């Protein structure tokens, strides 16, 4: 089988690229290891920058997002019993949209189905070949049969654990990583959200976050140890810990109820330099991971796909290789800035087990500074709503 573009991974990155290429008349195939139900069962962050919204609209999947997404003009940061609002609209003249990644992925699958695009689920043993030649190919197993796809380009959208990044020889890539000494325990519950806007709470016992998916569906997180097990967290224990970390005014009026999902996620920052090897291009989590503080994962993936799709469309449409040649450089320039922001927000809001007392005081001083300085709030806000492309 031969297809112009072979995309490994059917998460948001791979599906979005397939959709944008389809609109430009470029055919692709998406190879996904898991079932569609599994992909749609993953719950991830739900804050879309305006640039991401624009990319999704241009890709023809903005209708449900615009109808159901909640426009947020600001969010709050609480610490030491105080709450400070970051007024995104006033500070930046922009807002963010709360619309879950699961919903974005659903919309992308819908679009693939409507246009007859191929997404092969349950593929095994994906391997990438001849990446530095003009006709790379991908081999894999599907329904018990060995398959081979020849293509012009291989796109690695297969997340942190996928085979694409590993296909770049070690002496052609450099990886940078920071693993944080804590995780996030998250729950979803059919309760009225504690607040209309997100609350990021720094507390001496650890971070907490109040988020939401709709007016009736709440998403909450608390910082936990990396060695903890979900089974040890009853709903009652979760609610008690969450309430304790929030300002009393929020905790006291909080509606609690049974969780409908509960999971622990580790926190990591990771960047792979480079994002291109011959005819292989990496995008999304395959190339970089950010900790969830600030909700940048999906937004960063969308930015990669924006640059990469421009490059591929120019290649096929005008025979112009410049966009593909500069892809890694353009994408990485943005990646590092967003990595910095996500790392900074994580450092600002979490309790680090072994942080020296001096640094603890620095953290408190920075929170105080942020609460009282429009300049500091502006720097936070312009990153939160999304840096320009
Ligand atoms: N073969 C085929 N597919 C694979 C393989 C493999 N060997 N390994 C992994 N995959 C698939 C995964 O099953 C997953 O569906 O690649 C997909 C990668 O999807 P994501 O992890 O969602 O990554 P990405 O599409 O880049 O999306 C980025 O998702 O992970 C969040 O925080 C991240 O929000 C960001 C966004
Ligand atoms: C979420 O709603 O899941 C969410 C929101 C904001 C974050 C992280 C996660 O920073």
């Amino acid at each position: 089988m031969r297809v112009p573009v072979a995309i490994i991974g059917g998460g948001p990155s791979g599906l979005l690229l397939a959709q944008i290429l389809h609109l430009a008349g470029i055919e692709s195939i998406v190879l996904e290891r898991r079932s569609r139900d599994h992909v749609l069962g993953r719950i991830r962050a739900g804050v879309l920058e305006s640039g991401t919204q624009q990319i999704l609209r241009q890709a023809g999947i903005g209708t449900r997002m615009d109808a159901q997404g909640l426009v947020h003009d600001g969010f709050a940061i609480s610490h030491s019993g105080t709450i400070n609002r970051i007024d995104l609209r006033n500070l930046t003249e922009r807002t963010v949209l709360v619309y879950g990644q699961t919903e974005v992925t659903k919309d992308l699958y819908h679009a693939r189905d409507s246009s007859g695009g191929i997404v092969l689920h349950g593929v095994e043993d994906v391997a990438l070949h001849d990446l530095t030649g003009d006709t790379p190919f991908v081999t894999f197993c599907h329904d018990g049969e060995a398959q081979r796809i020849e293509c012009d380009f291989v796109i690695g959208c297969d997340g942190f654990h996928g085979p694409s990044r590993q296909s770049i020889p070690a002496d052609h890539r450099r990886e940078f990583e920071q693993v944080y000494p804590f995780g996030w325990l998250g729950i979803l519950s059919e309760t009225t959200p504690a607040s209309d806007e997100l609350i990021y709470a720094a507390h001496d016992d650890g971070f907490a976050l109040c988020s939401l998916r709709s007016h009736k569906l709440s998403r909450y997180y608390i910082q936990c140890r990396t060695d903890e097990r979900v089974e040890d967290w009853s709903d009652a224990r979760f609610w008690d810990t969450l309430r304790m970390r929030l300002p009393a005014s929020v905790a006291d009026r909080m509606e609690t109820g049974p969780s409908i999902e509960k999971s622990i996620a580790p926190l990591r920052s990771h960047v792979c330099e480079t994002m291109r090897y011959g005819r292989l291009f990496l995008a999304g989590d395959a190339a970089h991971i950010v900790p969830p503080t600030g909700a940048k994962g999906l937004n960063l993936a969308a930015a990669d796909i924006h640059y990469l799709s421009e490059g591929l469309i120019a290649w096929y449409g005008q025979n112009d290789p410049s966009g593909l040649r500069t892809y890694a450089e353009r994408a990485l320039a943005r990646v590092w800035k967003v990595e910095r922001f996500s790392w900074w927000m994580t450092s600002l809001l979490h309790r680090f087990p072994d942080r020296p007392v001096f640094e603890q005081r620095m953290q408190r001083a920075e929170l105080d500074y942020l609460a009282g300085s429009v300049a500091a709030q502006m720097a936070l806000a312009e990153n939160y709503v999304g840096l320009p492309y």
Side-chain angles (χ1 to χ4, degrees):
M1 184 179 181
R2 186 177 163 84
V3 144
V5 181
I7 300 173
I8 320 224
S13 301
L15 294 170
L16 178 59
L17 179 63
Q19 171 66 6
I20 296 174
L21 293 182
H22 168 75
L23 294 180
I26 303 162
E27 285 316 307
S28 64
I29 186 165
V30 176
L31 306 175
E32 167 57 48
R33 188 166 57 111
R34 303 290 203 152
S35 68
R36 184 183 288 208
D37 283 349
H38 181 96
V39 174
L40 290 173
R42 294 191 290 230
I43 298 182
R44 303 247 168 88
V47 179
L48 304 182
E49 299 173 355
S50 44
T52 306
Q53 296 165 39
Q54 207 43 38
I55 291 171
L56 297 177
R57 280 183 203 112
Q58 276 164 7
I61 62 143
T63 313
R64 207 164 65 95
M65 172 188 81
D66 282 324
Q68 295 177 16
L70 304 172
V71 176
H72 279 216
D73 291 348
F75 66 90
I77 293 187
S78 77
H79 78 107
S80 313
T82 62
I83 292 204
N84 295 288
R85 183 161 186 270
I86 306 296
D87 191 330
L88 298 173
R89 191 188 282 277
N90 260 344
L91 290 161
T92 66
E93 293 175 0
R94 286 193 290 155
T95 58
V96 291
L97 196 70
V98 170
Y99 186 66
Q101 178 170 322
T102 311
E103 303 310 312
V104 173
T105 313
K106 253 188 227 166
D107 295 341
L108 282 163
Y109 269 121
H110 242 266
R112 287 279 70 203
D113 291 345
S114 320
S115 59
I118 307 173
V119 182
L120 287 187
H121 285 278
V123 300
E124 292 172 338
D125 303 328
V126 170
L128 291 63
H129 309 270
D130 279 3
L131 296 170
T132 51
D134 286 344
T135 48
F137 63 98
V138 179
T139 55
F140 57 97
C141 225
H142 187 240
D143 286 342
E145 273 187 39
Q147 309 255 8
R148 171 184 165 127
I149 291 181
E150 285 168 16
C151 53
D152 302 325
F153 299 104
V154 182
I155 314 296
C157 294
D158 45 357
F160 184 67
H161 299 288
S164 298
R165 186 175 69 259
Q166 307 298 338
S167 303
I168 302 179
D171 57 349
H172 282 78
R173 74 183 134 95
R174 192 161 172 211
E175 299 194 39
F176 302 83
E177 183 173 65
Q178 170 139 336
V179 177
Y180 298 88
F182 41 74
W184 277 17
L185 168 62
I187 69 160
L188 197 62
S189 76
E190 282 165 341
T191 49
T192 309
S195 156
D196 290 343
E197 294 187 343
L198 273 66
I199 304 175
Y200 290 85
H203 187 277
D204 288 346
D205 286 342
F207 169 74
L209 170 61
C210 302
S211 182
L212 64 155
R213 290 290 176 275
S214 72
H215 297 300
K216 290 199 167 57
L217 194 57
S218 302
R219 180 77 172 149
Y220 296 110
Y221 298 94
I222 52 175
Q223 175 182 349
C224 64
R225 293 197 321 271
T226 44
D227 60 355
E228 288 191 276
R229 297 177 329 150
V230 175
E231 302 77 66
D232 296 331
W233 282 89
S234 64
D235 287 352
R237 184 179 169 207
F238 181 92
W239 291 118
D240 286 347
T241 309
L242 174 65
R243 273 196 300 230
M244 204 208 24
R245 294 182 186 180
L246 296 173
S249 59
V250 179
D252 291 350
R253 59 179 157 81
M254 178 157 199
E255 185 186 333
T256 61
S259 62
I260 53 176
E261 194 268 352
K262 196 186 283 166
S263 53
I264 293 182
L267 268 71
R268 176 199 309 271
S269 297
H270 173 267
V271 180
C272 176
E273 281 182 353
T274 176
M275 289 171 65
R276 177 202 180 160
Y277 177 67
R279 289 194 172 227
L280 167 67
F281 293 83
L282 302 181
D285 277 18
H288 42 72
I289 299 284
V290 286
T293 334
K296 291 298 175 201
L298 176 60
N299 292 295
L300 200 47
D304 289 351
I305 297 303
H306 169 72
Y307 296 136
L308 185 53
S309 59
E310 273 185 357
L312 287 166
I313 290 168
W315 167 281
Y316 284 107
Q318 290 105 46
N319 226 347
D320 171 5
S322 60
L324 290 179
R325 209 182 285 133
T326 55
Y327 165 69
E329 198 186 319
R330 280 178 90 196
L332 279 164
R334 196 165 195 284
V335 165
W336 277 115
K337 289 184 202 127
V338 178
E339 288 282 347
R340 184 209 67 82
F341 174 68
S342 307
W343 160 85
W344 172 78
M345 251 191 113
T346 303
S347 311
L348 178 74
L349 297 169
H350 288 77
R351 175 178 180 273
F352 284 69
D354 299 319
R355 194 174 247 177
V357 232
F358 180 80
E359 288 181 21
Q360 290 173 29
R361 287 300 159 98
M362 290 296 99
Q363 182 181 16
R364 199 186 292 174
E366 185 152 19
L367 283 161
D368 282 341
Y369 171 59
L370 184 63
S373 160
V374 175
Q377 290 175 13
M378 184 86 88
L380 166 55
E382 80 162 347
N383 281 278
Y384 198 87
V385 298
L387 296 174
Y389 288 94

